[in-house]
Every structure is written in C-alpha cells, then in structure tokens.
C-alpha cells in the first residue's frame, strides 16, 4: 500500500507567548487542511507528537485534538525524544499502510520557552542518559554532543571553523524563511567569537529552544485517487533504529550508529545507493553543528571523517550538489522538539512541489531525505520521499 | 497480513515500592520473552506505553528499553490516557501489519503509588477534561463517572446494588489471581457500606491506584511460521475511536460513544454479530463499576439500559454465558494505566490457551474481546482475538 502526503502546514517557530499549545498546533493543522483541500471530516486518525518538556499538559493529545477538531479521530500520542515528529509520521504511516486508516494526520507541537534554559538543559541531559551520566557528572545535552565533537576533531581533524560553517549556512537559509526562529545571517567569526557553552560547542553551534508546530496529512493511494488529488509527495521508504542511551556503552563517538542503521533500512527499501546523485536535497538533524557533520557521513553523503570538508566545499548550500536543511535546519529555523520531524516533511513537500520560493532547490530526481534523531541516537528515523 | 500474539507477561500489580519503573517493566518483559521462547535479539521493535503520571521519567521509553535489552529496538513511546496499553498494542500491530517489523513487543508500565491519592485524582480530573471542567468545578476523575452513574440510574433505574455486584464479581476473580492488587473477596454489603467518594460511587466502586506492567510480543504470520511457533493467539480485528473530552458537548452520559464506534469497527472486521454467542469471554474497561455496566451495553452484550440486570443475572461471572474480567478487572486486579490494556492481552492469551487455572473459562468459540478506554471515552479500543 503506497502512502502519500497530501497536505502540510507549519507554524512560525520561535518564542510564541501568543499561543497556548492547542492554538499553536492548530496554526499548522489549518494550513495542512487547507493545503490538502479537505476538512477534519476526511481525517480518520490523528497522531499527536509532543515531548511535553514542562509537563504543561499531562496528556497533550486531548486538548490538541479537541481544539483542532479531531476529538473524534485520535487514538494516540507518541513520543521519541527529539525524534517525536518522525515517530508521529511513522505512526500515521503504519496506520495507513496496515489498512487501519485511509487518511491520518501527524501533528508535532511543543511549547518550550515556558521553561527556563537551565531546566531545558537539565531535561536534555536526562534525555541523553537516565542511568547516571546526568546525575553523576551533570552532563547536560550540549555536553553529549561536545563529546561527539571532540572525538570527531581528534580522529579526523574536524575544526571549529568547519562546524561554524554549518551554522552560517543554516542562518543564511533561515533568513529567507519567514517561519524561522532566527531571521538574521551570521558570519563564521560570529560563531567563533560566541561564548562557549561546552567546549568545543559555542552558542552559535547550538540549536535554540523554540516553540512551534507542524502537521502533515497522509493518505493511502486508493483514497488519494478517490479524493481526486493528483499532486502528491509519496513516502518511498521508512527506516528506524535506536541505540543504547548509555554513552559509556557506545562503540564510538564519531557518529551515530542509529542513523547508520536507519539509513540502511530506508535506502534498501527505496533503492538508494548513491544518495548525492539520487537525491535532490536532504533535511538532517542538526541540533548542534557537529550533528550535521556526522549526519553527512552516517547518511553516506561523504566518506566517514569528511563531513567537515563537505560543508566547507559548499556542496550542501543551496545551489550545491546536495543542499541540506534548506529552510534553516534545527540550528536556525528552530527546534521545537516534536515539531521538528514533521516540519522536515513540510520542507520536503514544499521543495518537491517547487513551492519554496527563493529557497527552492533544483529538482532533478524529485527525491529527498528526512533524518530525525532523538537524544544522541536513542532514536533515529530516515525516510525517503518522492514526487 | 495476519498478526499473532506469541508471548505474554504480566507483573504483580499493586504497591510496588520494590521496583523502579524499568525493573517493573522487565518483570513482564522477561515472562513474555520466556513465554514466546525467544530473546531480545528476535524483537525488531519495542513500543513502550506509559502515561507517566508523576513525571518520574520524562521519556520513559529510554530507561525501559535500555534496562529490558531493547536499546537497539525501540523507536517510540505511546500514550492515550488509560487506553495507553491498547494504544501500544495497536502501534505494534500496525507496525507489523504495515510490513515495518516482523516481531514487535508492546510494553505497558506505570508506577502510580509514588503520587498521593489527591494528586492522582486531580490528574484524573485533568485527563477528563482540560478545558475548564476540572478548573472550574474541581471535577476529579471519579466525578465524571459519577455523572455517568447518576444518568444511568435516572434513565434506566440502575441501582447501587447492581453496581456493587460488579465489584463483588471483580474481587471474587481477583482473589484467585496471585498477580491481582486485591486478593480478598467482598460482599455487596461491603460495597454499599463503604464511604462515598462521589455519589453514587463509593470506595469499592472505584479501581485502585496501582503499580504494574504487562508485555505482549506480536509477530507476523510469516515470522511465526519461520520461528516454528504453532500456539498463537491471533488478532482478528482492531477498532478504535475517540470522542470529545468536553463533557458538556456529549450527547448523552448513559454510555460511551467511543466504545460504540470502536466496537462497530472491530465487529465489522471480525464478523461479530452476536457477541454473547460468538465470544467466550471479554475483558472490559471497569475503572468504575458503572463503566462495566455501560460497557456491557455499548459492546452489545445486552440492550441499552439492561447492563445492571446483566450483572445481576450472573451471566458475566465465571461459568456464565459471557464471563467478563475473569482476572479481576481494573477494579480488583488493579489499574496501572498503561499496563491495563496490555494486561488484557495477557488475560486473553492465557484464557484462550487454557492456562488460566481455577479462573479458566469454558472455550467454545476460542474468541475473546478486549475493551480499553482512555479518560471517559476520549480514546477507546476494541479488539477481537482468536485461537
């Protein structure tokens, strides 16, 4: 059973004191419904993704579904840390592919700015490892990725300048995306001169704490024909994997094994052997600049250890061989946890339809990749889309 | 693609100060793995259900999977209030039926006794309706079901004695279930003389606040053959529905519309027209005694309004025409939210295999029903199993 995306929506990301969680969700839901040209009546199933960092709502699917007009539709909420968005898309996808629903909506929504930054970092640290690394060493979330960065620097000679270029690229794209959290361009020097959060990661190497939502409406091929929709972005394949949360048990810090495993699953099913040639662009999980560099390698965009050089080459910029994070990435578009994975679907659909305005990539293959990670690879999803 | 249950496990329910959440989960997981005769290696996907009432773990799937040996397996956690267990089974089921996995485990786990009762009731009230009923009127969770009870009494003449009989039956079964929270039989007078929590519901009309876990391992028919497993309980059909959480928007209080809709979906797919004749027994969501009476009616075990008479007739006792909640139900076995729906699968598998000891039902059709509700019908799942 083929499953396609028939409508997408995305809220403005950033500090959203103007909206409570259900209003924020509806901002994306309304756009997605309008985009698909359907109403709530056609949707059979609503999957709400929300990590709910503050505990603002114990069971967030209830108010979100109620407010968005899906009270009679939704049987569940999903959570997979920062990969919650992709997990919601996964659940909507499997619900349709298994024949349980013909039309399903995946909603990702998060209000994070209500919590102070220190709390968020502590929560992130707990997400990184519950067993003892946070409690024993006070390891916050940036510290985990700092370990990845230092390992990568030591083994492959990756530099702080190369990492900075990921941030510069992200800000350049985000500055042209009116929904992005950050709207200003930055230079390599700005990154290098920003204060250290945890060596070697500086303020501008880190994605921000954002509020935001995104929604994607999925449907079965049969239903798509019945609805007479002919502009569809298909989900060609879905890969998932996970890994130990205990960093001390990891084989290596220079990449994420979960990404590699999820990639293998997704590429095998979609027949991807040379991603740079076969894909038009990719959205990857750049919660920190080093994460994008590792993703290049783990996803096979370059050889292991050459991620720093790849960003330096400019080939992942708009106009390059394989543009990455064309809407600004987690780094500059913002990272409202559960919204992120669904917002990647939004970006992919907009790009593959040629609706990305001045951020539009060149379409040769009409295929794109989604890569969403939870924690430091506790969860990973890789999906291939085509139009 | 047929999906079957190849292994089940269930922890002892009750106050479990002796185990943290991941240890509690493993108690059920180990039993399920041993029961299936497989190891963690064969499991491709772990779906963790947890409502996480205290917020003891922000992302409970991570420590649970880590401790249970599924760190490399699990891409998500699900939550659907008190129907979280069925939602986990649903997600494992759709993952297999869609071809995303061949073997998946659904784990439901909850530690509730760490929270004081008043907090639990408040949380329940928020689960009942987030919009304003809790905040405006202080409506706790028993108060919602009390509204159902008074409506049912007013319209159909249902009595407190009839409700008490649901509790007496539950305790009688639980007294023979070593894993149940309550191990003692009670009489109708005990229920009637217990203190009112919220009229007409008394202490013994309410399910307790319990810790517990349950696990069910599901597999595709192809994989089951490959593993050489020949004793399988099949999932014949799955139905789901939901309803507004805003009680003021409900059409009626004498039943749960979500149950009716989920039943219609499940019965249609499984060809159930006369449930009392076609099923051997049922597990229904008896969070309060009135809930079991409404479930009889909403599931078509009797006509609307005759649920009180049905329990009075004794036909839902062991030995009756359609035994219900043979292991003691939420009422006496206990109700650790996310564990409940998965524990229903445990009960169904044990019964259909003839492994229920002195609680064994008579098997004529080798079919059984699962009914798991979240909130007051915000979520509902109905599933039909067969062996």
């Amino acid at each position: 059973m083929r499953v396609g995306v028939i409508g997408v929506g995305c809220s403005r990301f950033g500090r959203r004191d103007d909206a409570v969680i259900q209003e924020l969700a509806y901002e994306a839901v309304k756009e997605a419904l309008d985009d698909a040209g359907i109403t709530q009546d056609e949707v059979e199933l609503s999957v709400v993704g929300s990590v709910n960092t503050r505990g603002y709502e114990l069971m967030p699917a209830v108010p979100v579904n109620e407010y968005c007009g899906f009270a009679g539709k939704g049987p569940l909420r999903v959570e997979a840390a920062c990969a919650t968005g992709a997990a919601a898309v996964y659940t909507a996808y499997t619900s349709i592919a298994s024949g349980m629903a013909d039309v399903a909506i995946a909603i990702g929504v998060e209000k994070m700015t209500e919590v102070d930054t220190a709390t968020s970092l502590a929560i992130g640290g707990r997400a990184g490892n519950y067993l003892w690394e946070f409690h024993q060493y006070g390891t916050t979330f940036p510290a985990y990725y700092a370990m990845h960065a230092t390992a990568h620097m030591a083994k492959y000679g990756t530099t702080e300048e190369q990492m900075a270029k990921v941030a510069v690229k992200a800000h350049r794209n985000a500055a042209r995306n009116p929904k992005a959290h950050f709207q200003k361009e930055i230079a390599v020097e700005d990154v290098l001169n920003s204060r250290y959060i945890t060596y070697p990661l500086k303020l501008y190497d880190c994605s921000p704490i954002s509020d935001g939502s995104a929604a994607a409406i999925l449907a079965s091929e049969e239903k798509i024909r019945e609805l007479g929709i002919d502009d569809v972005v298909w989900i060609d394949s879905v890969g998932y994997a996970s890994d130990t949360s205990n960093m001390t048990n990891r084989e290596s810090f220079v990449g994420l094994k979960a990404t590699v495993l999820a990639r293998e699953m997704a590429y095998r099913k979609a027949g991807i052997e040379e991603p740079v040639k076969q894909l038009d662009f990719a959205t990857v999980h750049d919660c920190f600049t080093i994460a994008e560099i590792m993703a290049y390698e783990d996803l096979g965009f370059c050889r292991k250890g050459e991620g720093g050089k790849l960003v330096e080459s400019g080939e992942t910029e708009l106009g390059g061989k394989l543009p990455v994070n064309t809407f600004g990435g987690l780094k500059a578009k913002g990272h409202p946890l559960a919204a992120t994975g669904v917002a990647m679907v939004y970006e992919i659909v907009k790009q593959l339809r040629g609706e990305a305005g001045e951020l539009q990539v060149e379409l040769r293959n009409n295929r794109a990749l989604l890569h969403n990670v939870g924690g430091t690879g506790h969860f990973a999803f890789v999906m291939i889309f085509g139009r």
Side-chain angles (χ1 to χ4, degrees), chain A residues 152-227:
Chain A
H152 210 275
M153 291 164 79
K155 184 157 184 186
Y156 300 119
T158 302
T159 65
E160 291 183 65
E161 288 75 11
Q162 289 171 333
M163 289 189 254
K165 290 201 170 168
V166 173
V168 171
K169 170 175 77 64
H171 277 262
R172 191 178 300 140
N173 293 339
R176 288 158 183 78
N177 173 5
K179 292 183 173 178
H181 192 155
F182 296 134
Q183 304 277 346
K184 67 165 187 179
E185 294 202 41
I186 57 169
V188 168
E189 293 66 38
D190 294 322
V191 186
L192 295 178
N193 293 331
S194 66
R195 67 189 165 88
Y196 280 105
I197 300 299
T198 168
Y199 175 85
L201 301 178
K202 294 163 289 295
L203 183 65
Y204 281 165
D205 286 298
C206 306
S207 58
I209 290 164
S210 316
D211 304 325
S213 70
I217 301 172
L218 278 55
S220 66
E221 185 167 18
E222 197 183 331
K223 187 69 182 183
I224 288 169
R225 289 188 206 286
E226 192 187 311
L227 290 167

Side-chain angles (χ1 to χ4, degrees), chain A residues 112-124:
Chain A
M112 300 182 69
T113 63
E114 293 175 357
V115 187
D116 64 275
T117 303
T119 305
S120 285
L121 292 176
I123 287 168

Side-chain angles (χ1 to χ4, degrees), chain A residues 240-268:
Chain A
Y240 64 78
S242 53
D243 196 3
T244 173
S245 61
N246 204 332
M247 295 289 278
T248 49
N249 287 341
R250 295 275 177 98
E251 293 160 21
S252 142
F253 283 6
V254 295
L256 299 182
K257 188 174 142 194
T259 295
V260 175
L261 295 174
R263 172 201 84 191
E264 285 171 358
M265 190 169 168
Y267 283 14
R268 189 171 57 243

Side-chain angles (χ1 to χ4, degrees), chain A residues 254-257 259-260 263 293-300 304:
Chain A
V254 295
L256 299 182
K257 188 174 142 194
T259 295
V260 175
R263 172 201 84 191
I293 288 172
M294 293 195 300
Y296 290 169
E297 303 164 359
D298 293 339
L299 293 166
K304 194 72 211 164

